[in-house]
Amino acid sequence: MDVLKLLVDYGVIGFLIFLSFVSVGTAIERYIFIKRADISKYKSRQDIELELTKNMHWIATIGSNAPYIGLLGTVLGIMLTFYTIGQEGFVDTKKVMVGLALALKATAVGLLVAIPSTALYNVLLRRVREKLSMWEKVNGR
């Protein structure tokens, strides 16, 4: 069961931290690209929309799935706690609380990844809509 504890601590939480770097890195890259995008070089609305929204789906996917990954860590942590209780045959409050704290840590990290990712996606989506509106205003469409 030590493997399961390591899986929750380093596997699930480590994966969530990696996803947060992917989300924030992609958001920064997209923000800079959108800010510097020259709308006059695009011939159609579809062309500019494709360029502006490139890779933004990763941010949305991370934002919507991070809580579930955290929940997976929680379920694994609770399973570990119950297994420990079953193996030892008696309830040691300290071990139960440590196991539950480990489980809840995964959920907290999942939410800490999801909330900023969702906010960043919405901010970027607003910036894309602004650029598309400017393109339509300039091109009369």
Side-chain angles (χ1 to χ4, degrees), residues 37-99:
D38 180 14
I39 60 172
S40 64
K41 74 176 193 173
Y42 296 99
K43 301 287 184 215
S44 71
R45 186 181 194 281
Q46 289 82 13
D47 290 341
I48 189 171
E49 189 171 4
L50 283 172
E51 283 296 313
L52 293 175
T53 60
K54 190 182 289 184
N55 293 327
M56 280 181 45
H57 65 281
W58 289 114
I59 302 168
T61 301
I62 291 168
S64 62
N65 287 301
Y68 296 116
I69 297 168
L71 184 60
L72 173 64
T74 299
V75 169
L76 292 173
I78 291 172
M79 285 173 44
L80 175 64
T81 301
F82 287 145
Y83 182 82
T84 303
I85 291 170
Q87 286 293 99
E88 294 184 6
F90 65 92
V91 179
D92 180 8
T93 307
K94 182 179 178 182
K95 286 189 178 183
V96 171
M97 292 302 128
V98 168

Side-chain angles (χ1 to χ4, degrees), residues 21-32 59 120-121 124:
F21 281 112
V22 170
S23 180
V24 171
T26 303
I28 291 169
E29 184 274 329
R30 286 288 86 196
Y31 184 82
I32 292 169
I59 302 168
L120 287 170
Y121 178 77
L124 290 171

